[in-house]
Amino acid sequence: MGTSAGVPTRSRNVAGIALSLPQRGEWWLFDCGEGTQHRILRSHLSLGQLTRIFITHLHGDHIFGLPGLLATGNLAAGNRRTHVYGPAGLEHYLRASRQHTEAESSLPVEVHSTQSGEIFADDGFIVDCLPLKHRVPTFGYRVTERDHPGRFRVEEAVRLGIPEGPLYGKLKRGETITLPDNRQIDGVLLSEPVQAGRKFVYCSDTTLCDTAIELARDADVLVHEATFAKKDEELARRSQHSTATMAAQVALEAKAQSLILTHISPRYTPGSATTPDDLLTEARAIFPHTELARDLLSVEVARRERSA
Amino acid sequence: MGTSAGVPTRSRNVAGIALSLPQRGEWWLFDCGEGTQHRILRSHLSLGQLTRIFITHLHGDHIFGLPGLLATGNLAAGNRRTHVYGPAGLEHYLRASRQHTEAESSLPVEVHSTQSGEIFADDGFIVDCLPLKHRVPTFGYRVTERDHPGRFRVEEAVRLGIPEGPLYGKLKRGETITLPDNRQIDGVLLSEPVQAGRKFVYCSDTTLCDTAIELARDADVLVHEATFAKKDEELARRSQHSTATMAAQVALEAKAQSLILTHISPRYTPGSATTPDDLLTEARAIFPHTELARDLLSVEVARRERSA
């Protein structure tokens, strides 16, 4: 939804990332800079299917779109409850925004104060977070999809002449059974491979830190801020942001599958001395599987097959 | 900057109007819905020249762009002070927005609590306001440009043989003098016509009310909300908004020179049963000098010549 740092530009809006979960008919939002709802209008996403919002930290370029988005979402979606997660202070900020606006448009929002560790889990996903290293309390978020057991090939069980009933349950759980005719059947072989859950990790804003690496361990997709180029590393350290090189180092050490750079300083534009593409080149020298985010870029998180 | 009511659409953003004062090298903003700063990026205006912001009322679609705009403006303009005028509660809203964001980007903003009557005056302009009729305290704003005295035609005075000195001052003030040779000279005739000051009036949000008419009296341009079509008048009355017909009635009774309709409900889109152009037709039946606002529409407020 937005890939610029601090202020919007004509091509990049401030921070916002949508995680689409089509199998659930819903999507989640990470950060919500001003104008995020305007970007959503230009995407294929609908506010009526937004169920959870995760805020990394309470800087304006990550939260100033939240009151408006929640107000519009409320108008759009009636009484559906939206869960918002973020550092302490978020609830007060939202309450103050609504206090002076309109009581009747107060929306059913549940605000959860983010702590290190697991903050959400259901039968499909776990969300946990760790503190990053920025000027204010900031959390990186990790979404871990649970593994899906492979489909039990019932047609194969029938072909083998296994009688229906409790034996099927044992086979589905991967146990080995013995048939009346003494044949031994390994349940694992009767199931398709486990569909490994995927990991999405979002680290912004932060300078290089161990917790980012820990959070990003084995991620399928790591979205990491890269506010500055390496030549401006001093600026990055002073403002507690990352260079593209730092982002690549995190991805490399965490053994992530892929890296997407976002939160690009508006000082780098096509045509300036250093461009966003230079940040990409810089990161790829360290971690080749890197892409540069642009607003409304859509990336599919591919499944990796794992044996059971 | 924005011409939609309540929520942004793909073509219309929420409320915001810029009043450009090129002779002063500055501009003023009326209302600041979310995404106003994004619209400014697509205009010819620069945040560095924005000096005063007037807020009609504390509904989200009129103020949620303010914290972000002020933060960006601060980054853009250094220590210039910005004056913000609006109903009581505005200062608390802005303080709460900034409290949880970033102390170091706290900007030199002076917030003025709007009361009926004159709220600003200098040698060029007077700004005053009156309460409108909406669900929360709401003010309409009127900007009155002071008359400019016509240029004193010094070359004509020289031609008439008037000696330089204190007589010139009297003539400039429009007095009649008597020369040593008994000729009487009327100063008014030695000056070009007075440049009449222009009046810009902004009424939003409101349903039909006498104060809107009073404020709009003799306005050169009246920008008035027209959230609904006449056929939805019941909705307008219930939500204390105006129909296009009501806006036209205000312009007619106030003897305004021209009317611009804004704050159009997103229910009316090109292609729907009732379109924004239908609102325009409805208003023009009553007040022909009506235009329909669209985002980034620019209208020059023409000068009317008045004799001294």
Side-chain angles (χ1 to χ4, degrees):
Chain A
M1 300 293 121
T3 59
S4 177
V7 299
T9 71
R10 285 174 68 107
S11 59
R12 295 179 186 271
N13 194 25
V14 284
I17 297 179
L19 181 68
S20 183
L21 307 170
Q23 70 275 39
R24 296 161 74 113
E26 60 183 274
W27 64 279
W28 298 349
L29 179 64
F30 294 80
D31 284 335
C32 188
E34 183 186 352
T36 296
Q37 64 167 321
H38 301 68
R39 277 285 191 255
I40 291 168
L41 284 173
R42 305 200 169 271
S43 76
H44 64 285
L45 298 165
S46 142
L47 274 186
Q49 295 182 298
L50 171 60
T51 53
R52 292 177 201 281
I53 302 172
F54 302 89
I55 300 295
T56 57
H57 66 299
L58 302 186
H59 277 167
D61 59 326
H62 294 250
I63 59 168
F64 281 163
L66 201 44
L69 179 138
L70 291 172
T72 300
N74 181 56
L75 293 172
N79 278 329
R80 186 180 43 69
R81 182 171 294 271
T82 305
H83 295 268
V84 185
Y85 305 80
L90 180 59
E91 183 155 22
H92 177 271
Y93 163 72
L94 286 176
R95 201 165 37 222
S97 293
R98 288 157 60 184
Q99 181 183 345
H100 293 296
T101 53
E102 183 129 63
E104 65 195 271
S105 78
S106 73
L107 31 137
V109 167
E110 197 166 320
V111 182
H112 308 263
S113 204
T114 298
Q115 306 282 346
S116 284
E118 188 175 298
I119 56 168
F120 169 77
D122 66 7
D123 58 359
F125 293 91
I126 302 157
V127 181
D128 63 350
C129 61
L130 286 176
L132 300 176
K133 198 172 167 190
H134 194 45
R135 303 189 299 275
V136 296
T138 302
F139 291 93
Y141 288 94
R142 171 167 57 191
V143 179
T144 305
E145 185 184 35
R146 292 187 193 274
D147 291 347
H148 282 274
R151 189 182 68 87
F152 180 66
R153 294 184 294 147
V154 65
E155 68 283 1
E156 183 65 10
V158 168
R159 199 185 62 76
L160 291 171
I162 303 167
E164 274 189 59
L167 288 178
Y168 274 44
K170 288 186 176 181
L171 289 168
K172 280 184 189 177
R173 287 191 297 274
E175 297 176 19
T176 297
I177 59 159
T178 305
L179 292 178
D181 60 9
N182 280 330
R183 276 184 297 159
Q184 290 208 326
I185 308 283
D186 180 354
V188 170
L189 301 177
L190 279 182
S191 289
E192 291 177 355
V194 167
Q195 282 203 316
R198 293 162 288 183
K199 267 188 202 148
F200 163 83
V201 176
Y202 174 45
C203 294
S204 185
D205 297 353
T206 188
T207 192
L208 188 60
C209 63
D210 289 342
T211 46
I213 297 166
E214 186 183 338
L215 198 69
R217 183 81 59 212
D218 204 32
D220 292 276
V221 171
L222 166 62
V223 178
H224 198 288
E225 72 128 291
T227 310
F228 293 104
K230 185 168 172 53
K231 75 173 178 62
D232 294 320
E233 184 173 333
E234 184 46 38
L235 282 178
R237 295 206 181 272
R238 219 185 311 146
S239 58
Q240 305 234 35
H241 281 296
S242 295
T243 62
T245 293
M246 291 177 187
Q249 285 169 333
V250 170
L252 184 72
E253 291 198 36
K255 297 188 176 14
Q257 294 295 304
S258 65
L259 169 65
I260 299 175
L261 307 178
T262 189
H263 203 268
I264 311 298
S265 168
R267 74 182 55 215
Y268 311 122
T269 53
S272 62
T274 304
T275 70
D277 278 337
D278 291 334
L279 271 63
L280 179 60
T281 305
E282 175 183 319
R284 280 185 175 166
I286 295 164
F287 189 82
H289 267 188
T290 304
E291 297 295 339
L292 177 68
R294 61 171 190 275
D295 287 23
L296 297 177
L297 171 72
S298 176
V299 173
E300 171 135 12
V301 185
R303 279 190 189 282
R304 285 183 277 171
E305 291 223 330
R306 266 206 309 251
S307 53
Chain B
M1 299 292 121
T3 59
S4 177
V7 300
T9 71
R10 284 174 68 106
S11 60
R12 294 181 187 269
N13 194 27
V14 284
I17 297 180
L19 180 68
S20 184
L21 307 171
Q23 70 275 39
R24 296 161 73 113
E26 60 183 274
W27 62 280
W28 298 349
L29 179 66
F30 294 80
D31 283 335
C32 188
E34 183 185 352
T36 297
Q37 64 167 319
H38 300 68
R39 278 286 190 253
I40 292 168
L41 283 173
R42 304 200 170 273
S43 76
H44 64 284
L45 299 165
S46 142
L47 274 187
Q49 295 182 299
L50 171 60
T51 53
R52 294 179 199 279
I53 301 172
F54 302 90
I55 299 296
T56 57
H57 65 301
L58 302 186
H59 277 167
D61 59 326
H62 294 250
I63 59 168
F64 281 164
L66 202 42
L69 178 138
L70 291 174
T72 300
N74 181 57
L75 293 172
N79 278 328
R80 189 180 40 71
R81 181 171 296 271
T82 305
H83 295 268
V84 186
Y85 305 79
L90 180 59
E91 183 155 23
H92 177 271
Y93 164 73
L94 286 177
R95 201 165 40 223
S97 292
R98 289 156 61 184
Q99 180 182 348
H100 294 296
T101 53
E102 184 130 64
E104 65 195 271
S105 78
S106 73
L107 30 135
V109 167
E110 197 168 319
V111 182
H112 308 262
S113 205
T114 298
Q115 307 283 345
S116 284
E118 187 176 300
I119 56 167
F120 169 75
D122 66 8
D123 58 0
F125 294 92
I126 301 157
V127 181
D128 63 350
C129 62
L130 286 175
L132 301 176
K133 197 171 166 191
H134 194 45
R135 305 190 297 277
V136 296
T138 302
F139 291 94
Y141 288 95
R142 170 167 57 190
V143 179
T144 305
E145 185 184 34
R146 293 187 193 271
D147 292 348
H148 282 275
R151 190 182 67 86
F152 179 66
R153 293 184 295 147
V154 64
E155 68 283 2
E156 184 64 9
V158 168
R159 198 185 63 77
L160 292 171
I162 303 167
E164 273 187 59
L167 289 177
Y168 274 45
K170 288 186 175 180
L171 290 167
K172 281 183 189 175
R173 287 192 298 275
E175 298 175 20
T176 297
I177 59 159
T178 305
L179 292 178
D181 60 8
N182 282 327
R183 275 185 297 158
Q184 290 207 328
I185 308 283
D186 181 353
V188 169
L189 301 177
L190 278 184
S191 289
E192 290 176 355
V194 168
Q195 281 203 317
R198 292 162 290 183
K199 268 190 201 146
F200 164 83
V201 176
Y202 174 46
C203 293
S204 185
D205 296 356
T206 189
T207 192
L208 189 59
C209 63
D210 290 341
T211 45
I213 297 166
E214 186 183 339
L215 199 68
R217 182 81 58 211
D218 203 31
D220 291 276
V221 172
L222 166 63
V223 179
H224 198 288
E225 74 127 293
T227 311
F228 293 106
K230 184 166 173 54
K231 75 172 180 59
D232 294 320
E233 184 173 332
E234 184 46 39
L235 282 178
R237 295 207 181 270
R238 218 183 314 146
S239 59
Q240 306 234 36
H241 282 295
S242 295
T243 62
T245 293
M246 292 178 187
Q249 284 169 334
V250 172
L252 184 71
E253 294 200 35
K255 297 189 176 8
Q257 295 294 307
S258 66
L259 169 65
I260 299 176
L261 305 177
T262 189
H263 204 268
I264 310 300
S265 168
R267 74 182 53 215
Y268 312 122
T269 54
S272 62
T274 304
T275 70
D277 278 338
D278 292 333
L279 272 64
L280 179 60
T281 305
E282 175 183 321
R284 281 185 174 166
I286 295 164
F287 189 82
H289 268 187
T290 304
E291 298 295 338
L292 177 69
R294 61 171 190 275
D295 286 24
L296 296 179
L297 172 70
S298 177
V299 173
E300 172 136 11
V301 185
R303 277 189 192 281
R304 285 184 276 170
E305 290 221 333
R306 264 205 310 249
S307 52

